[in-house]
Amino acid sequence: MDHARLAELQSPDSIFSGLSVEDWAEITRRAVQVNFAKGKELLVQGDPGDMMLILTEGTARVSMLTAGGREIVLAYAEPGAVLGEIALLDGGERTASVTATSAGSALQLGRNALRDFAASHPDFAWSLMQQLARRLRTADQTIESDRAYASGPRLARYLKRLIRKDVGVAQRVELSQTELGNFAGMSREHINRQLKSWEESGIIALEQGRVRVLEPEILEDISESEG
């Protein structure tokens, strides 16, 4: 992929948003190109974040495993996507895995290479700080928004986020009630009471501890109601 195309594909929330074609040429020189086959695990949840990837060809699935071993798909990545940058920057473990859904290639950029690029490009370093500050602000606003909702609407919002759509069947959340409570910040007892109430109203069905949404439109209304 040429440098101009890489620059063009960066979304506004990419840490590389706003870089010039010349900047991308330098990043490419500092990176290593890796090719991968469909099904290859490119990044693994729990691994140390010593490098990041910039997808140049192909597609990938970003997902995480819950404590109960269930996979939750967070996003699908396409060419231009920047993957694994947070763990690279903070030195922590990866919070999600990335698996190739087609054959492709990526630029692999190590921590030292990114540090050297930032040191020689002060404008990029400042832009990076601004980008991380925006992400922190968004996270804070999300937390405050969730706190502002009563438990019912808050739980409905989390159900909406976690719903997995399967062809030909009703919408299902493949999480236990305990795991769902962990995501929504609610106790198991509180979760049980709310879900039982919705089950009695015909909004959901509980099947072996799993949640099946029967009336997604009603759930949508609940999620948007005031707390």
Side-chain angles (χ1 to χ4, degrees):
M1 179 177 293
D2 63 57
H3 305 141
R5 182 61 175 158
L6 276 172
E8 179 184 329
L9 286 173
Q10 297 310 297
S11 64
D13 61 350
S14 167
I15 65 170
F16 295 125
S17 177
L19 290 189
S20 67
V21 174
E22 291 75 18
D23 292 333
W24 275 106
E26 186 170 344
I27 286 177
T28 302
R29 288 195 296 270
R30 295 174 183 271
V32 176
Q33 180 168 317
V34 294
N35 299 315
F36 52 82
K38 181 179 179 180
K40 171 72 173 177
E41 278 196 303
L42 306 178
L43 302 175
V44 180
Q45 183 177 343
D47 279 1
D50 53 358
M51 61 82 178
M52 59 179 286
L53 297 173
I54 304 164
L55 201 60
T56 52
E57 290 184 44
T59 56
R61 180 180 69 251
V62 183
S63 64
M64 64 172 290
L65 287 178
T66 68
R70 300 284 179 175
E71 182 186 40
I72 299 176
V73 177
L74 304 175
Y76 287 94
E78 297 182 340
V82 178
L83 305 165
E85 73 274 26
I86 297 301
L88 175 70
L89 290 168
D90 71 7
E93 296 181 348
R94 301 204 185 279
T95 57
S97 296
V98 178
T99 306
T101 51
S102 71
S105 62
L107 296 176
Q108 179 177 299
L109 194 66
R111 180 175 288 112
N112 289 337
L114 182 62
R115 182 188 294 119
D116 292 344
F117 179 78
S120 61
H121 294 74
D123 287 344
F124 167 71
W126 178 249
S127 174
L128 177 58
M129 287 190 291
Q130 289 180 312
Q131 183 60 251
L132 296 178
R134 281 193 291 270
R135 293 187 186 185
L136 180 60
R137 182 189 294 274
T138 299
D140 287 344
Q141 290 173 341
T142 299
I143 292 171
E144 288 304 316
S145 175
D146 284 345
R147 286 175 178 168
Y149 278 74
S151 59
R154 174 150 47 104
L155 180 58
R157 294 176 75 203
Y158 274 87
L159 278 173
K160 282 172 51 186
R161 294 178 192 176
L162 299 175
I163 277 176
R164 174 182 173 185
K165 295 184 178 180
D166 294 319
V167 177
V169 300
Q171 297 172 339
R172 181 188 300 270
V173 174
E174 294 293 345
L175 289 174
S176 69
Q177 293 175 36
T178 299
E179 291 165 338
L180 183 58
N182 290 338
F183 274 92
M186 298 166 63
S187 70
R188 178 183 174 86
E189 292 73 20
H190 204 156
I191 290 281
N192 286 342
R193 287 196 297 271
Q194 186 63 72
L195 292 180
K196 282 292 185 184
S197 173
W198 287 346
E199 184 179 39
E200 291 170 1
S201 300
I203 300 170
I204 65 167
L206 298 176
E207 301 171 344
Q208 298 181 338
R210 308 296 167 178
V211 181
R212 184 160 58 95
V213 178
L214 303 176
E215 297 289 348
E217 294 81 5
I218 297 178
L219 191 71
E220 178 77 23
D221 291 341
I222 294 173
S223 72
E224 296 179 353
S225 64
E226 295 293 336

